[in-house]
Amino acid sequence: MTDVLQLSTNSLQVPGEDRSASTSPSGSPSPSRNECSITPLTPSPSPRSELRPHVARPFSVVVAIDFGTTSSGYAFSFTEDPETIHMMRRWEGGDPGVANQKSPTCLLLTPDLRFHSFGFAARDSYHDLDPEEAGHWLYFDKFKMKIHSTSDLSMETELESVSGRRVRAIEVFSHALRFFREHALKEVKDQSSSVLESTEVRWVITVPAVWRQPAKQFMREAAYLAGLVTADSPEQLLIALEPEAASIYCRKLRLHQVIDLSQRPVTNGLDLDGSRPFDSSFRQAREQLRRARHSRTFLVESGTGELWSEMQTGDRYIVADCGGGTVDLTVHQIEQPQGTLKELYKASGGPYGAVGVDLAFEAMLCQIFGADFIESFKAKRPAAWVDLTIAFEARKRTATPGRTNSLNILLPFSFIDFYKRHRGQSVETALRKSNMNFIKWSSQGMLRFSAEAMNELFQPTINNIIKHIENLMQKEEVKGVRFLFLVGGFAESPMLQRAVQNALGRNCRIIIPHDVGLTILKGAVLFGLDPTVVRVRRCPLTYGVGVLNRFVEGRHPRDKLLIKDGREWCTDILDRFVSVDQSVALGEVVRRSYTPARIGQRKIIINIYCSDTDEITYITDLGVRKCGDITLDLLESGAAAANAGENDKGSARREIRTTMQFGDTEIKVTAVDVATGRLVRASIDFLSN
């Protein structure tokens, strides 16, 4: 039952150019060795709009989890008071002088793979372990990037901890989501006046827009494993795209929540009043904070205050989500009259997040002290390495353009001692021999980074971000954009703000929402309250299946010719469901009808192929890859069909009508047995490859 439809005899048949021919597949080649083979009936040429009945769900609260590369957090809102969003105000164990409304995305497991802690608690507990003991524990940091970079993601994909031990990625993610589930439900219970059932909670998990279907499905499977929802209630969990969530929030911004870089004269990295660019935003937020209601740990944002009226219906704008691991770009237009959003160009981006600055710092250390030493230090003194990365993170946040004085980064004593033992010379000697004049050694055990050194660490990542935005602005669909919203944790960096304003400020207005690091989280809550707010999306890829068509001499290549039962067929033709960058509205569907290839067949399995381009004809073309499969379980509906009195021949000709939706954040499939009207269990799997 594991064989699926492939080339020649395992392909699907679609009626060819002769549309008047009967849809009965009696003359088609019938596969002889594959119990999961199918013969399609009537294809649907393009997505069609279908009004989906609104089903009222008894959700009383929406809980959103912003699962980030460097930091994560959650927020929630009660459906009876949707204008109020509850956010964590401070996590226990947070760093002094930092808002800490999110927690580091760090996980600590015991030597026997049990959950120990997450966030600040995990980081601090790992730091306190004896160096020898730490080698037996599993500490994971910035592990979200692995999901984006793995081309063959599956339920068996593994992650490597700082100490080198490996564990299944799905278990790491489920531990983290379970932590947020327990934390969030406790706070929701404390804030609620009534007892909530688990089915009354709608969960939203954010993912980068550039993530493909396997990664989205992976997060859903991790949520099932963590107990957020069950696989029998998939509608209780929504996957939100990070820049899309930010866009949803940005369209509802209040006047006091907006920082317009275009109207802020800046000199030497500072405002004219000498403050850092973000400091003066507190004056704009004073009224909001005065109105905010505080609990022990939560900041409650209410939808009060004068609306920011600069953005009007019909306006086009870009949202650049500059996070820890990735930068995601989405282009939206506000539609009339409902104020819904329409995506104008497919989501794009890349691995240009703040982690790029961290990697540049590590590369600089390798250049000074040697890559072999750094790798050895990370393996032998993992907790000390984490200390060093934390120290750099703190200084990275304070870097500003035009800064004249140096930034000091404290080297752990174990680094200095380990280098002396490993190399037989001091850290100071290594710095002197490296000829890096912009990094000095302080007798207090610190690396003194000049402004030039910090700028060199930031520039490659920032240049990638600006280049990507500039390339996007050249697209015909994006012309006429009035605003560029910078959101995400990296958008807090004055280095990035200044560079974007200098490079793009002439083309559009650069806007930063107040509490920019929480924009996605707040937008994810709004998306959970109304998932229909984004009405039109663009397909990131071309999707389809392989089929057989009548062979046409001179049109089809001879190596695709298949002769079966005296008839000539062309194999491997791609039957498109949707094309790359095609607009698909919420509720539009693609229909295909299939029939079992033989009597008593229990399953139909259909391979799905995808491509980054639409310039393809066959599933064997360059750039086309199998990305998943659809499984139709015929057992239950087959029994019903038999009970309805169908004979063997009729049973073989049963029509299974399949409906696919491409307008949501995830691809969905449903199916029905036309003869009986019964639903057929249908599933789509992108992790089976």
Side-chain angles (χ1 to χ4, degrees), residues 111 150 219 301 446 505 562 576 632 643:
T150 301
M219 290 300 290
E301 178 182 285
M446 296 181 180
L562 170 69
R576 283 172 180 76
L632 306 178
N643 292 336

Side-chain angles (χ1 to χ4, degrees), residues 25-42:
S26 56
S28 67
S30 57
S32 58
R33 3 170 234 164
N34 191 337
E35 286 198 86
C36 293
S37 298
I38 62 175
T39 308
L41 295 175
T42 52

